Amino acid sequence: MASGYGLNGGVSRCFPFWQDLLSCYVVNTAGGDSNEKWKCIPQRDDYLECLHHRKEIDKTKAINAAYRRYEIAHAGFSKAETGGAAGAKTTVGGVKGLGLLAKDS
């Protein structure tokens, strides 16, 4: 487990989720009965999502795949149809971006 301190010395981003998980675990296993641990599954999932972002990554992959399928199915797909910005650039993943962070080479 991480120390609970962030990069700037404050509380880390996942520490509140860890506290929720720990409090649930303590409350549900206080009597020495560990059969109630299953009640803490939602808190555990939230904590693990905060640490690893698996659901967010999976959702982003699904959106990119759907976008690519749409582009293939609609060969005449243009920027005017989607309402894209005039300066929009296509990134490696295929999703449009404004190019604010990437340097042009």
Side-chain angles (χ1 to χ4, degrees):
M1 209 224 44
S3 65
Y5 292 104
L7 294 175
N8 297 325
V11 176
S12 69
R13 71 169 193 257
C14 298
F15 189 67
F17 294 103
W18 170 252
Q19 286 181 318
D20 288 342
L21 175 60
L22 187 61
S23 66
C24 177
Y25 187 79
V26 167
V27 167
N28 289 308
T29 59
D33 185 22
S34 62
N35 293 333
E36 300 295 320
K37 287 191 285 189
W38 63 271
K39 291 182 179 178
C40 300
I41 290 175
Q43 288 86 349
R44 185 200 63 188
D45 290 344
D46 289 343
Y47 178 62
L48 291 176
E49 173 61 22
C50 181
L51 286 177
H52 304 293
H53 303 289
R54 290 302 314 159
K55 291 178 187 175
E56 180 182 357
I57 291 168
D58 292 342
K59 187 175 182 179
T60 303
K61 286 180 182 178
I63 290 171
N64 283 336
Y67 183 79
R68 284 190 216 104
R69 282 193 308 271
Y70 185 84
E71 278 187 326
I72 291 169
H74 300 86
F77 184 64
S78 72
K79 215 182 291 183
E81 293 172 2
T82 60
K89 299 178 182 178
T90 303
T91 62
V92 176
V95 177
K96 306 285 183 199
L98 294 176
L100 299 174
L101 300 177
K103 292 183 179 179
D104 293 331
S105 28

Coordinates of all heavy atoms in Angstrom, one line a residue:
M1 N 0.8 -1.2 0.0 CA 0.0 0.0 0.0 C 0.9 1.2 0.0 O 1.9 1.3 0.6 CB -0.9 0.0 1.2 CG -2.1 0.7 1.0 SD -3.0 1.9 1.9 CE -2.0 3.0 2.6
A2 N 0.4 2.3 -0.7 CA 1.2 3.5 -0.7 C 1.1 4.2 0.6 O 0.3 3.9 1.5 CB 0.6 4.4 -1.8
S3 N 2.0 5.2 0.8 CA 2.2 5.8 2.1 C 1.0 6.7 2.4 O 0.8 7.1 3.6 CB 3.4 6.7 2.1 OG 3.3 7.7 1.1
G4 N 0.2 7.1 1.4 CA -0.9 8.1 1.6 C -0.5 9.5 1.4 O -1.4 10.4 1.4
Y5 N 0.7 9.8 1.1 CA 1.2 11.1 0.8 C 1.3 11.3 -0.7 O 1.8 10.4 -1.4 CB 2.5 11.4 1.5 CG 2.4 11.5 3.0 CD1 2.8 10.4 3.8 CD2 1.8 12.6 3.6 CE1 2.7 10.5 5.2 CE2 1.7 12.6 5.0 CZ 2.1 11.6 5.8 OH 2.0 11.6 7.1
G6 N 0.9 12.4 -1.2 CA 1.0 12.8 -2.6 C 2.4 13.3 -2.9 O 3.3 13.4 -2.1
L7 N 2.5 13.7 -4.2 CA 3.8 14.2 -4.7 C 4.1 15.5 -4.0 O 5.3 15.8 -3.9 CB 3.8 14.3 -6.2 CG 3.7 13.0 -7.0 CD1 3.5 13.3 -8.5 CD2 4.9 12.1 -6.7
N8 N 3.1 16.3 -3.7 CA 3.4 17.6 -3.1 C 3.3 17.6 -1.6 O 3.2 18.7 -1.0 CB 2.4 18.6 -3.7 CG 2.6 18.8 -5.2 OD1 3.7 18.7 -5.7 ND2 1.5 18.9 -5.9
G9 N 3.3 16.5 -1.0 CA 3.3 16.4 0.5 C 1.9 16.3 1.1 O 1.8 16.0 2.2
G10 N 0.9 16.5 0.3 CA -0.5 16.4 0.8 C -1.0 15.0 0.7 O -0.2 14.0 0.5
V11 N -2.3 14.8 0.8 CA -2.9 13.5 0.7 C -2.9 13.1 -0.7 O -3.1 13.8 -1.6 CB -4.4 13.6 1.2 CG1 -5.1 12.3 1.1 CG2 -4.4 14.1 2.7
S12 N -2.6 11.8 -0.9 CA -2.6 11.2 -2.3 C -4.0 11.2 -2.8 O -5.0 11.2 -2.1 CB -2.0 9.9 -2.3 OG -2.8 8.9 -1.7
R13 N -4.1 11.0 -4.2 CA -5.4 11.1 -4.8 C -6.3 9.9 -4.4 O -7.5 10.0 -4.4 CB -5.3 11.1 -6.3 CG -4.8 9.8 -6.9 CD -4.9 9.9 -8.5 NE -4.6 8.5 -8.9 CZ -3.5 8.1 -9.5 NH1 -2.5 8.9 -9.6 NH2 -3.4 6.8 -9.8
C14 N -5.7 8.7 -4.1 CA -6.5 7.5 -3.8 C -6.7 7.3 -2.3 O -7.3 6.3 -1.9 CB -5.9 6.3 -4.4 SG -5.8 6.4 -6.2
F15 N -6.1 8.1 -1.4 CA -6.2 7.9 0.0 C -7.6 7.9 0.5 O -7.9 7.1 1.4 CB -5.3 8.9 0.7 CG -5.2 8.6 2.2 CD1 -4.5 7.5 2.6 CD2 -5.7 9.5 3.1 CE1 -4.3 7.2 4.0 CE2 -5.6 9.2 4.5 CZ -4.9 8.1 4.9
P16 N -8.5 8.8 0.1 CA -9.9 8.7 0.6 C -10.6 7.4 0.2 O -11.3 6.9 1.0 CB -10.6 9.9 -0.1 CG -9.5 10.8 -0.5 CD -8.3 10.0 -0.8
F17 N -10.3 6.8 -0.9 CA -10.8 5.5 -1.3 C -10.3 4.4 -0.4 O -11.0 3.5 0.0 CB -10.5 5.2 -2.8 CG -11.2 6.2 -3.7 CD1 -10.5 7.2 -4.4 CD2 -12.6 6.0 -4.0 CE1 -11.2 8.0 -5.2 CE2 -13.2 6.9 -4.9 CZ -12.5 7.9 -5.5
W18 N -9.0 4.6 -0.1 CA -8.4 3.6 0.8 C -9.0 3.7 2.2 O -9.3 2.6 2.8 CB -6.9 3.8 0.9 CG -6.2 3.0 2.0 CD1 -5.7 3.4 3.2 CD2 -6.1 1.6 2.0 NE1 -5.3 2.4 3.9 CE2 -5.5 1.2 3.2 CE3 -6.4 0.6 1.1 CZ2 -5.1 -0.1 3.6 CZ3 -6.1 -0.7 1.5 CH2 -5.5 -1.1 2.7
Q19 N -9.3 4.9 2.7 CA -9.9 5.0 4.0 C -11.3 4.4 4.0 O -11.7 3.8 5.0 CB -10.0 6.5 4.4 CG -8.7 7.1 4.8 CD -8.8 8.5 5.2 OE1 -9.5 9.3 4.5 NE2 -8.2 8.9 6.3
D20 N -12.1 4.6 2.9 CA -13.4 4.0 2.8 C -13.3 2.5 2.8 O -14.1 1.8 3.5 CB -14.1 4.4 1.5 CG -14.6 5.8 1.5 OD1 -14.7 6.4 2.6 OD2 -14.8 6.4 0.4
L21 N -12.4 1.9 2.1 CA -12.2 0.5 2.1 C -11.8 -0.1 3.4 O -12.3 -1.1 3.9 CB -11.1 0.1 1.0 CG -10.7 -1.4 1.0 CD1 -11.9 -2.3 0.6 CD2 -9.6 -1.6 -0.1
L22 N -10.9 0.6 4.1 CA -10.4 0.2 5.4 C -11.5 0.2 6.4 O -11.7 -0.7 7.2 CB -9.2 1.0 5.8 CG -8.5 0.6 7.1 CD1 -7.9 -0.8 6.9 CD2 -7.4 1.6 7.4
S23 N -12.3 1.3 6.4 CA -13.4 1.5 7.4 C -14.4 0.4 7.2 O -14.9 -0.2 8.1 CB -14.0 2.9 7.4 OG -14.6 3.1 6.1
C24 N -14.7 0.1 5.9 CA -15.7 -1.0 5.6 C -15.2 -2.3 6.1 O -15.9 -3.1 6.7 CB -16.0 -1.0 4.1 SG -17.1 -2.3 3.6
Y25 N -13.9 -2.6 5.9 CA -13.3 -3.8 6.3 C -13.3 -4.0 7.8 O -13.6 -5.0 8.3 CB -11.9 -3.9 5.7 CG -11.3 -5.3 5.9 CD1 -11.6 -6.3 5.1 CD2 -10.3 -5.5 7.0 CE1 -11.0 -7.6 5.3 CE2 -9.8 -6.7 7.2 CZ -10.1 -7.7 6.4 OH -9.5 -9.0 6.6
V26 N -13.0 -2.9 8.5 CA -12.9 -2.9 10.0 C -14.3 -3.2 10.5 O -14.5 -4.0 11.4 CB -12.3 -1.7 10.5 CG1 -12.5 -1.5 12.0 CG2 -10.8 -1.6 10.2
V27 N -15.3 -2.5 10.0 CA -16.7 -2.6 10.5 C -17.2 -4.0 10.3 O -17.9 -4.6 11.1 CB -17.6 -1.5 9.9 CG1 -19.1 -1.8 10.1 CG2 -17.2 -0.1 10.4
N28 N -17.0 -4.5 9.1 CA -17.6 -5.8 8.7 C -16.8 -7.0 9.2 O -17.3 -8.1 9.1 CB -17.8 -5.9 7.2 CG -18.9 -5.0 6.8 OD1 -20.0 -5.0 7.3 ND2 -18.5 -4.1 5.8
T29 N -15.6 -6.8 9.8 CA -14.8 -8.0 10.3 C -14.5 -7.8 11.8 O -13.6 -8.4 12.3 CB -13.5 -8.2 9.5 OG1 -12.7 -7.0 9.6 CG2 -13.8 -8.6 8.1
A30 N -15.2 -6.9 12.4 CA -14.9 -6.5 13.8 C -15.1 -7.7 14.8 O -14.4 -7.8 15.8 CB -15.7 -5.3 14.3
G31 N -16.1 -8.5 14.5 CA -16.4 -9.6 15.5 C -15.6 -10.8 15.2 O -15.9 -11.9 15.8
G32 N -14.6 -10.8 14.5 CA -13.8 -11.9 14.2 C -14.3 -12.8 13.0 O -13.8 -13.8 12.7
D33 N -15.5 -12.4 12.5 CA -16.1 -13.1 11.4 C -15.7 -12.5 10.1 O -16.1 -11.4 9.8 CB -17.6 -13.1 11.6 CG -18.4 -13.9 10.5 OD1 -17.7 -14.9 10.0 OD2 -19.6 -13.7 10.3
S34 N -14.9 -13.2 9.3 CA -14.5 -12.7 8.0 C -15.4 -13.0 6.9 O -15.1 -12.8 5.7 CB -13.0 -13.2 7.7 OG -13.1 -14.6 7.6
N35 N -16.6 -13.5 7.2 CA -17.5 -13.8 6.1 C -18.2 -12.6 5.6 O -18.9 -12.7 4.5 CB -18.6 -14.8 6.6 CG -18.0 -16.2 6.9 OD1 -17.0 -16.6 6.3 ND2 -18.6 -16.9 7.8
E36 N -18.1 -11.5 6.2 CA -18.8 -10.3 5.8 C -17.9 -9.4 4.9 O -18.3 -8.3 4.5 CB -19.2 -9.5 7.0 CG -20.2 -10.2 7.9 CD -21.5 -10.5 7.2 OE1 -22.0 -9.6 6.5 OE2 -22.0 -11.6 7.4
K37 N -16.7 -9.9 4.5 CA -15.8 -9.1 3.7 C -16.4 -8.8 2.3 O -16.0 -7.8 1.7 CB -14.5 -9.8 3.5 CG -13.6 -9.8 4.7 CD -12.2 -10.3 4.4 CE -12.2 -11.8 4.2 NZ -10.8 -12.3 4.1
W38 N -17.3 -9.6 1.8 CA -17.9 -9.4 0.5 C -18.7 -8.1 0.4 O -18.9 -7.5 -0.7 CB -18.8 -10.5 0.2 CG -20.0 -10.7 1.1 CD1 -20.1 -11.4 2.2 CD2 -21.3 -10.0 0.9 NE1 -21.3 -11.3 2.8 CE2 -22.1 -10.4 2.0 CE3 -21.8 -9.2 0.0 CZ2 -23.4 -10.0 2.2 CZ3 -23.1 -8.7 0.2 CH2 -23.9 -9.1 1.3
K39 N -19.1 -7.5 1.6 CA -19.8 -6.2 1.6 C -18.9 -5.1 1.1 O -19.4 -4.0 0.8 CB -20.4 -5.9 3.0 CG -21.5 -6.9 3.4 CD -22.0 -6.5 4.7 CE -23.2 -7.4 5.1 NZ -23.7 -7.1 6.5
C40 N -17.6 -5.3 1.2 CA -16.6 -4.2 0.8 C -16.2 -4.3 -0.6 O -15.3 -3.5 -1.0 CB -15.4 -4.3 1.7 SG -15.8 -4.2 3.5
I41 N -16.8 -5.1 -1.4 CA -16.4 -5.2 -2.8 C -16.5 -3.9 -3.6 O -15.6 -3.5 -4.4 CB -17.1 -6.4 -3.5 CG1 -16.6 -7.7 -3.0 CG2 -16.9 -6.3 -5.0 CD1 -17.3 -8.9 -3.5
P42 N -17.6 -3.1 -3.5 CA -17.7 -1.8 -4.2 C -16.6 -0.9 -3.8 O -16.0 -0.2 -4.6 CB -19.1 -1.3 -3.8 CG -19.9 -2.5 -3.4 CD -18.9 -3.4 -2.8
Q43 N -16.3 -0.8 -2.5 CA -15.2 0.1 -2.0 C -13.8 -0.4 -2.6 O -13.0 0.4 -3.0 CB -15.1 0.1 -0.5 CG -16.3 0.9 0.1 CD -17.5 0.1 0.4 OE1 -17.6 -1.1 -0.1 NE2 -18.4 0.6 1.1
R44 N -13.6 -1.7 -2.6 CA -12.4 -2.2 -3.2 C -12.3 -1.9 -4.7 O -11.2 -1.5 -5.1 CB -12.3 -3.7 -3.0 CG -11.0 -4.3 -3.5 CD -11.1 -5.8 -3.7 NE -12.0 -6.0 -4.8 CZ -12.4 -7.2 -5.2 NH1 -12.0 -8.2 -4.6 NH2 -13.2 -7.3 -6.2
D45 N -13.4 -2.0 -5.4 CA -13.4 -1.7 -6.8 C -13.1 -0.2 -7.1 O -12.3 0.1 -8.0 CB -14.7 -2.1 -7.5 CG -14.9 -3.6 -7.6 OD1 -13.9 -4.4 -7.4 OD2 -16.0 -4.1 -7.8
D46 N -13.6 0.6 -6.2 CA -13.4 2.1 -6.4 C -11.9 2.4 -6.1 O -11.3 3.2 -6.8 CB -14.2 2.9 -5.4 CG -15.7 2.9 -5.8 OD1 -16.0 2.6 -7.0 OD2 -16.5 3.2 -4.9
Y47 N -11.3 1.7 -5.1 CA -9.9 2.0 -4.8 C -9.0 1.5 -5.9 O -8.1 2.2 -6.3 CB -9.6 1.3 -3.4 CG -8.1 1.4 -3.1 CD1 -7.6 2.7 -2.8 CD2 -7.3 0.3 -3.0 CE1 -6.2 2.8 -2.4 CE2 -6.0 0.4 -2.6 CZ -5.4 1.7 -2.4 OH -4.1 1.8 -2.0
L48 N -9.3 0.3 -6.4 CA -8.5 -0.2 -7.5 C -8.6 0.6 -8.8 O -7.6 0.8 -9.5 CB -8.8 -1.7 -7.7 CG -8.4 -2.7 -6.6 CD1 -8.8 -4.1 -6.9 CD2 -6.9 -2.6 -6.4
E49 N -9.8 1.1 -9.0 CA -10.0 2.0 -10.2 C -9.2 3.3 -10.0 O -8.6 3.7 -11.0 CB -11.5 2.3 -10.4 CG -11.8 3.3 -11.5 CD -11.3 2.9 -12.9 OE1 -11.1 1.7 -13.1 OE2 -11.1 3.8 -13.7
C50 N -9.2 3.8 -8.8 CA -8.4 5.0 -8.6 C -6.9 4.7 -8.8 O -6.2 5.6 -9.4 CB -8.6 5.5 -7.2 SG -7.7 7.0 -6.8
L51 N -6.4 3.6 -8.4 CA -5.0 3.3 -8.6 C -4.6 3.0 -10.0 O -3.6 3.5 -10.5 CB -4.6 2.0 -7.7 CG -4.5 2.2 -6.2 CD1 -4.2 0.9 -5.6 CD2 -3.5 3.2 -5.9
H52 N -5.4 2.2 -10.7 CA -5.0 1.6 -12.0 C -5.8 2.1 -13.2 O -5.4 1.9 -14.3 CB -5.1 0.1 -12.0 CG -4.3 -0.5 -10.9 ND1 -2.9 -0.5 -10.8 CD2 -4.7 -1.2 -9.7 CE1 -2.5 -1.1 -9.7 NE2 -3.6 -1.5 -9.0
H53 N -6.9 2.8 -13.0 CA -7.8 3.3 -14.1 C -8.2 2.3 -15.1 O -8.3 2.6 -16.3 CB -7.1 4.5 -14.7 CG -6.7 5.6 -13.8 ND1 -7.6 6.4 -13.2 CD2 -5.5 6.0 -13.3 CE1 -6.9 7.3 -12.5 NE2 -5.7 7.0 -12.5
R54 N -8.4 1.0 -14.7 CA -8.7 0.0 -15.7 C -10.0 0.3 -16.4 O -10.2 0.1 -17.6 CB -8.8 -1.4 -15.1 CG -7.5 -1.9 -14.6 CD -6.4 -2.1 -15.7 NE -6.9 -2.7 -16.9 CZ -6.4 -2.5 -18.1 NH1 -5.3 -1.8 -18.2 NH2 -6.9 -3.1 -19.2
K55 N -11.1 0.7 -15.7 CA -12.4 1.0 -16.3 C -12.3 2.1 -17.3 O -12.9 2.1 -18.4 CB -13.4 1.2 -15.3 CG -13.8 0.0 -14.4 CD -14.8 0.4 -13.4 CE -15.1 -0.7 -12.4 NZ -16.0 -0.3 -11.3
E56 N -11.5 3.1 -16.9 CA -11.4 4.3 -17.7 C -10.6 3.9 -19.0 O -11.0 4.4 -20.1 CB -10.6 5.4 -17.0 CG -10.3 6.6 -17.8 CD -9.5 7.7 -17.0 OE1 -9.2 7.4 -15.9 OE2 -9.2 8.7 -17.6
I57 N -9.6 3.1 -18.9 CA -8.8 2.7 -20.1 C -9.7 1.8 -21.0 O -9.7 2.0 -22.2 CB -7.6 1.9 -19.6 CG1 -6.6 2.9 -18.9 CG2 -6.9 1.2 -20.8 CD1 -5.4 2.2 -18.2
D58 N -10.5 0.9 -20.4 CA -11.3 0.1 -21.2 C -12.4 0.9 -22.0 O -12.7 0.7 -23.1 CB -12.0 -1.0 -20.4 CG -11.0 -2.0 -19.9 OD1 -9.9 -2.2 -20.4 OD2 -11.4 -2.7 -18.9
K59 N -12.9 1.9 -21.3 CA -13.9 2.8 -21.9 C -13.3 3.6 -23.0 O -13.9 3.7 -24.1 CB -14.5 3.7 -20.8 CG -15.7 4.5 -21.3 CD -16.3 5.3 -20.2 CE -17.5 6.1 -20.7 NZ -18.1 6.9 -19.6
T60 N -12.1 4.1 -22.8 CA -11.4 4.8 -23.9 C -11.1 4.0 -25.1 O -11.3 4.4 -26.2 CB -10.1 5.4 -23.3 OG1 -10.4 6.3 -22.2 CG2 -9.4 6.3 -24.4
K61 N -10.7 2.7 -24.9 CA -10.5 1.8 -26.0 C -11.8 1.5 -26.7 O -11.8 1.4 -28.0 CB -9.9 0.5 -25.4 CG -8.4 0.6 -25.0 CD -7.9 -0.7 -24.5 CE -6.4 -0.6 -24.1 NZ -5.9 -1.8 -23.5
A62 N -12.9 1.3 -26.0 CA -14.1 1.1 -26.7 C -14.6 2.3 -27.5 O -15.1 2.1 -28.6 CB -15.2 0.7 -25.6
I63 N -14.4 3.5 -27.0 CA -14.8 4.7 -27.7 C -13.9 4.8 -29.0 O -14.4 5.1 -30.1 CB -14.6 5.9 -26.9 CG1 -15.7 5.9 -25.8 CG2 -14.7 7.2 -27.7 CD1 -15.6 7.0 -24.7
N64 N -12.6 4.6 -28.9 CA -11.7 4.6 -30.0 C -12.1 3.6 -31.1 O -12.1 3.9 -32.3 CB -10.3 4.4 -29.6 CG -9.7 5.7 -29.0 OD1 -10.1 6.8 -29.3 ND2 -8.7 5.5 -28.2
A65 N -12.4 2.4 -30.6 CA -12.8 1.3 -31.6 C -14.1 1.7 -32.3 O -14.2 1.5 -33.5 CB -12.9 0.0 -30.8
A66 N -15.1 2.2 -31.6 CA -16.3 2.6 -32.2 C -16.1 3.7 -33.2 O -16.7 3.8 -34.3 CB -17.3 3.0 -31.1
Y67 N -15.2 4.7 -32.8 CA -14.9 5.8 -33.7 C -14.3 5.3 -35.0 O -14.6 5.7 -36.1 CB -14.0 6.8 -33.0 CG -13.7 8.0 -33.9 CD1 -14.6 9.0 -34.0 CD2 -12.5 8.1 -34.5 CE1 -14.3 10.1 -34.7 CE2 -12.2 9.2 -35.3 CZ -13.1 10.2 -35.4 OH -12.8 11.3 -36.1
R68 N -13.3 4.3 -34.9 CA -12.7 3.8 -36.1 C -13.7 3.0 -36.9 O -13.6 3.1 -38.2 CB -11.5 2.9 -35.7 CG -10.3 3.7 -35.3 CD -9.1 2.8 -35.1 NE -8.3 3.3 -34.0 CZ -8.3 2.8 -32.8 NH1 -8.9 1.6 -32.5 NH2 -7.6 3.4 -31.8
R69 N -14.6 2.2 -36.3 CA -15.6 1.5 -37.1 C -16.5 2.5 -37.8 O -16.9 2.2 -39.0 CB -16.5 0.6 -36.1 CG -15.8 -0.7 -35.7 CD -16.8 -1.6 -35.0 NE -17.5 -1.0 -34.0 CZ -17.2 -1.0 -32.7 NH1 -16.0 -1.6 -32.3 NH2 -17.9 -0.5 -31.8
Y70 N -16.9 3.6 -37.2 CA -17.7 4.6 -37.8 C -17.0 5.2 -39.0 O -17.6 5.4 -40.1 CB -18.1 5.6 -36.8 CG -19.1 6.7 -37.4 CD1 -20.4 6.4 -37.4 CD2 -18.6 7.9 -37.9 CE1 -21.3 7.3 -38.0 CE2 -19.5 8.8 -38.5 CZ -20.9 8.5 -38.5 OH -21.7 9.4 -39.0
E71 N -15.7 5.5 -38.9 CA -14.9 6.1 -40.0 C -14.9 5.1 -41.1 O -15.0 5.5 -42.3 CB -13.5 6.4 -39.5 CG -13.4 7.7 -38.8 CD -12.0 8.1 -38.6 OE1 -11.2 7.2 -38.3 OE2 -11.7 9.3 -38.6
I72 N -14.7 3.8 -40.9 CA -14.6 2.8 -41.9 C -16.0 2.7 -42.6 O -16.0 2.6 -43.9 CB -14.1 1.5 -41.4 CG1 -12.6 1.6 -41.0 CG2 -14.3 0.3 -42.4 CD1 -12.1 0.4 -40.2
A73 N -17.0 2.6 -41.8 CA -18.4 2.4 -42.4 C -18.8 3.6 -43.2 O -19.6 3.5 -44.2 CB -19.4 2.2 -41.3
H74 N -18.4 4.8 -42.9 CA -18.7 6.1 -43.6 C -17.5 6.7 -44.2 O -16.9 7.6 -43.6 CB -19.4 7.0 -42.6 CG -20.6 6.5 -41.9 ND1 -20.6 5.7 -40.8 CD2 -21.9 6.6 -42.3 CE1 -21.8 5.4 -40.5 NE2 -22.6 5.9 -41.3
A75 N -17.2 6.2 -45.4 CA -15.9 6.6 -46.0 C -16.0 8.1 -46.3 O -14.9 8.8 -46.4 CB -15.7 5.9 -47.3
G76 N -17.2 8.7 -46.5 CA -17.3 10.2 -46.8 C -17.3 11.0 -45.6 O -17.8 12.1 -45.6
F77 N -16.9 10.5 -44.5 CA -16.9 11.1 -43.2 C -16.0 12.4 -43.2 O -14.8 12.3 -43.5 CB -16.4 10.1 -42.2 CG -16.4 10.6 -40.7 CD1 -17.6 10.8 -40.1 CD2 -15.2 10.7 -40.0 CE1 -17.6 11.2 -38.8 CE2 -15.3 11.1 -38.7 CZ -16.5 11.3 -38.1
S78 N -16.6 13.5 -43.0 CA -15.8 14.8 -43.1 C -16.0 15.6 -41.8 O -16.8 15.3 -41.0 CB -16.3 15.6 -44.3 OG -17.6 16.2 -44.0
K79 N -15.1 16.6 -41.7 CA -15.1 17.4 -40.5 C -16.3 18.2 -40.4 O -16.8 18.5 -39.3 CB -13.8 18.3 -40.5 CG -13.2 18.6 -39.2 CD -12.1 19.5 -39.3 CE -10.9 18.8 -40.0 NZ -9.7 19.7 -40.1
A80 N -16.9 18.6 -41.5 CA -18.1 19.5 -41.5 C -19.3 18.7 -40.9 O -20.1 19.3 -40.3 CB -18.4 19.9 -42.9
E81 N -19.3 17.4 -41.2 CA -20.4 16.6 -40.7 C -20.4 16.4 -39.2 O -21.4 16.4 -38.5 CB -20.4 15.2 -41.3 CG -20.7 15.2 -42.8 CD -20.4 13.8 -43.4 OE1 -20.1 12.9 -42.7 OE2 -20.6 13.7 -44.6
T82 N -19.2 16.4 -38.6 CA -19.1 16.1 -37.2 C -19.0 17.4 -36.4 O -19.1 17.4 -35.2 CB -17.8 15.4 -36.9 OG1 -16.7 16.1 -37.3 CG2 -17.8 14.0 -37.5
G83 N -18.9 18.6 -37.1 CA -18.8 19.8 -36.3 C -17.5 20.0 -35.7 O -17.3 20.7 -34.7
G84 N -16.4 19.4 -36.3 CA -15.1 19.5 -35.7 C -14.5 20.9 -35.8 O -14.9 21.7 -36.7
A85 N -13.6 21.2 -35.0 CA -12.9 22.5 -35.0 C -12.0 22.6 -36.2 O -11.6 21.6 -36.8 CB -12.1 22.7 -33.7
A86 N -11.8 23.8 -36.7 CA -11.0 24.1 -37.9 C -9.6 23.6 -37.7 O -9.0 23.1 -38.6 CB -11.1 25.5 -38.2
G87 N -9.1 23.7 -36.5 CA -7.7 23.3 -36.2 C -7.5 21.9 -35.7 O -6.5 21.6 -35.2
A88 N -8.6 21.1 -35.8 CA -8.6 19.8 -35.2 C -7.6 18.9 -35.9 O -7.5 18.9 -37.2 CB -9.9 19.2 -35.2
K89 N -6.8 18.1 -35.2 CA -5.8 17.2 -35.8 C -6.1 15.8 -35.4 O -6.7 15.6 -34.3 CB -4.4 17.6 -35.3 CG -4.0 19.0 -35.8 CD -2.6 19.3 -35.2 CE -2.3 20.7 -35.6 NZ -1.0 21.1 -35.2
T90 N -5.8 14.8 -36.2 CA -6.0 13.4 -35.9 C -4.8 12.9 -35.1 O -3.7 13.1 -35.6 CB -6.3 12.6 -37.1 OG1 -7.3 13.2 -37.8 CG2 -6.6 11.2 -36.8
T91 N -5.0 12.3 -34.0 CA -3.9 11.8 -33.2 C -3.7 10.3 -33.7 O -4.4 9.8 -34.5 CB -4.3 11.8 -31.7 OG1 -5.4 11.0 -31.5 CG2 -4.5 13.2 -31.2
V92 N -2.7 9.7 -33.1 CA -2.3 8.3 -33.4 C -3.5 7.4 -33.2 O -3.8 6.5 -34.0 CB -1.1 7.9 -32.6 CG1 -0.8 6.4 -32.9 CG2 0.1 8.7 -32.9
G93 N -4.3 7.6 -32.1 CA -5.4 6.7 -31.8 C -6.6 7.0 -32.7 O -7.5 6.2 -32.7
G94 N -6.6 8.0 -33.5 CA -7.7 8.3 -34.5 C -8.7 9.3 -34.0 O -9.5 9.7 -34.7
V95 N -8.7 9.6 -32.7 CA -9.6 10.6 -32.2 C -9.1 12.0 -32.3 O -7.9 12.2 -32.2 CB -9.9 10.3 -30.7 CG1 -10.9 11.3 -30.1 CG2 -10.4 8.9 -30.5
K96 N -10.0 12.9 -32.7 CA -9.6 14.2 -33.0 C -9.1 14.9 -31.7 O -9.6 14.7 -30.6 CB -10.8 15.0 -33.5 CG -11.4 14.4 -34.7 CD -10.6 14.6 -36.0 CE -11.3 14.0 -37.2 NZ -10.5 13.7 -38.3
G97 N -8.1 15.8 -31.9 CA -7.6 16.6 -30.8 C -7.3 18.0 -31.4 O -7.3 18.2 -32.6
L98 N -7.2 19.0 -30.5 CA -6.9 20.4 -31.0 C -5.4 20.6 -31.2 O -5.1 21.7 -31.7 CB -7.5 21.3 -29.9 CG -9.0 21.3 -29.8 CD1 -9.4 22.3 -28.7 CD2 -9.6 21.7 -31.1
G99 N -4.6 19.7 -30.8 CA -3.2 19.9 -31.1 C -2.5 20.8 -30.1 O -1.5 21.4 -30.4
L100 N -3.1 21.1 -29.0 CA -2.6 22.1 -28.0 C -1.3 21.6 -27.3 O -0.5 22.3 -26.9 CB -3.6 22.5 -27.0 CG -4.9 23.2 -27.6 CD1 -5.9 23.4 -26.6 CD2 -4.5 24.5 -28.3
L101 N -1.3 20.3 -27.1 CA -0.2 19.7 -26.3 C 0.9 19.1 -27.1 O 2.0 19.1 -26.7 CB -0.7 18.6 -25.3 CG -1.8 19.0 -24.4 CD1 -2.3 17.9 -23.6 CD2 -1.2 20.1 -23.4
A102 N 0.6 18.7 -28.3 CA 1.6 18.1 -29.2 C 2.3 19.2 -30.0 O 1.7 20.1 -30.5 CB 0.9 17.1 -30.1
K103 N 3.6 19.0 -30.1 CA 4.4 19.9 -30.9 C 4.4 19.5 -32.4 O 4.5 18.3 -32.7 CB 5.8 20.0 -30.4 CG 6.0 20.6 -29.1 CD 7.4 20.7 -28.7 CE 7.6 21.3 -27.3 NZ 9.0 21.4 -26.9
D104 N 4.3 20.4 -33.3 CA 4.4 20.1 -34.7 C 5.8 20.0 -35.1 O 6.7 20.8 -34.7 CB 3.7 21.2 -35.6 CG 2.2 21.3 -35.3 OD1 1.6 20.2 -35.0 OD2 1.7 22.4 -35.5
S105 N 6.1 19.0 -35.8 CA 7.5 18.8 -36.3 C 7.7 18.8 -37.8 O 6.8 18.7 -38.5 CB 8.2 17.6 -35.7 OG 7.3 16.5 -35.5

